Amino acid sequence: NLPVLPFAAVLMAGASLCAQAIDPSKIVDLTYPFNKDTIYWPNAKGFVHRKDSWKRTPLGYWYAAGGFSTDEHGGTHMDSPIHFGEGKLTLEAVPASKLVAPVYVIDISAAAARERDYSATAADVKAFEEKYGKIRAGAVVLFRTGWGKFWPDRKQYLGSDVKGDISNLHFPGLSKDAAELLVTRKIAGLGIDTASMDYGPSKDFIVHQ
């Protein structure tokens, strides 16, 4: 009986997975809608919904048609391997079978509540494994920081609501040693309910690397 969480970013790794049966009773929607309130990385343009026709025509019938555009890094989204891996898979090249996997949820919300820039450590992962067992290869590991409670307040969620400001971000993430430990577990993916796997003030994005 592991907890679940809404998460904003998912980083998929390269482990091979076979499609697995899904129990509909265990499906939980972890997404946020894309609209004017969606939080994006500060230097992104965001979401635009264009209404080309949204009216009744001269012939008397209603006709609605338009389009939308959105940057890659905002809302609930998946970072494809090429995001920080030169020559790695782009999003459309990731097999759908790799998107179905067992999930572990590691709750670091208490530590994050005490420290906005908390980075989950290898010790946090090991403490979880002592309680629930070793993380299986091919699983997805999600970190619950509790940051979902701030959505869609950009100031609270990111630490700054200034457009283009990536120098004053403050939110929890993972540490290098936690990421390295999870790599040894051969996980298929990593998720978190903040804007990035790396904590807000990160300059080298070592977890992404």
Side-chain angles (χ1 to χ4, degrees):
N1 295 321
L2 302 182
V4 294
L5 79 168
F7 63 97
V10 176
L11 180 68
M12 299 306 296
S16 177
L17 286 178
C18 295
Q20 303 175 36
I22 298 175
D23 180 349
S25 69
K26 296 180 180 178
I27 295 176
V28 179
D29 185 358
L30 303 180
T31 64
Y32 292 116
F34 281 89
N35 55 33
K36 62 181 178 60
D37 296 322
T38 304
I39 297 175
Y40 286 82
W41 200 247
N43 57 8
K45 295 178 181 178
F47 181 81
V48 177
H49 181 202
R50 188 187 71 248
K51 295 181 178 179
D52 296 330
S53 176
W54 214 263
K55 61 185 179 182
R56 193 163 295 280
T57 71
L59 295 177
Y61 59 82
W62 171 266
Y63 181 66
F68 67 89
S69 63
T70 182
D71 286 274
E72 294 176 339
H73 296 98
T76 305
H77 69 278
M78 172 180 154
D79 285 347
S80 58
I82 200 173
H83 183 36
F84 269 77
E86 185 177 2
K88 301 299 183 181
L89 294 179
T90 50
L91 188 62
E92 81 286 353
V94 177
S97 60
K98 289 194 175 186
L99 306 181
V100 180
V103 171
Y104 295 89
V105 179
I106 300 178
D107 192 328
I108 60 167
S109 57
R114 294 189 297 268
E115 181 183 347
R116 281 189 64 92
D117 294 330
Y118 184 75
S119 290
T121 64
D124 290 324
V125 177
K126 291 177 180 178
F128 174 88
E129 291 185 318
E130 288 177 5
K131 187 173 182 179
Y132 295 106
K134 186 176 179 180
I135 293 170
R136 289 189 287 163
V140 170
V141 178
L142 305 180
F143 282 81
R144 173 191 273 140
T145 70
W147 243 237
K149 66 178 177 285
F150 295 131
W151 191 275
D153 187 324
R154 287 173 172 78
K155 175 71 172 179
Q156 287 293 325
Y157 191 76
L158 295 174
S160 172
D161 58 1
V162 177
K163 186 72 173 176
D165 181 13
I166 57 175
S167 299
N168 298 291
L169 304 182
H170 295 281
F171 51 77
L174 273 70
S175 66
K176 180 181 179 181
D177 70 333
E180 289 177 335
L181 176 59
L182 290 170
V183 168
T184 69
R185 298 295 188 261
K186 301 185 185 304
I187 63 170
L190 184 62
I192 197 165
D193 57 353
T194 66
S196 174
M197 302 297 167
D198 291 280
Y199 79 140
S202 177
K203 303 303 179 187
D204 60 2
F205 303 101
I206 193 62
V207 177
H208 279 75
Q209 291 190 53

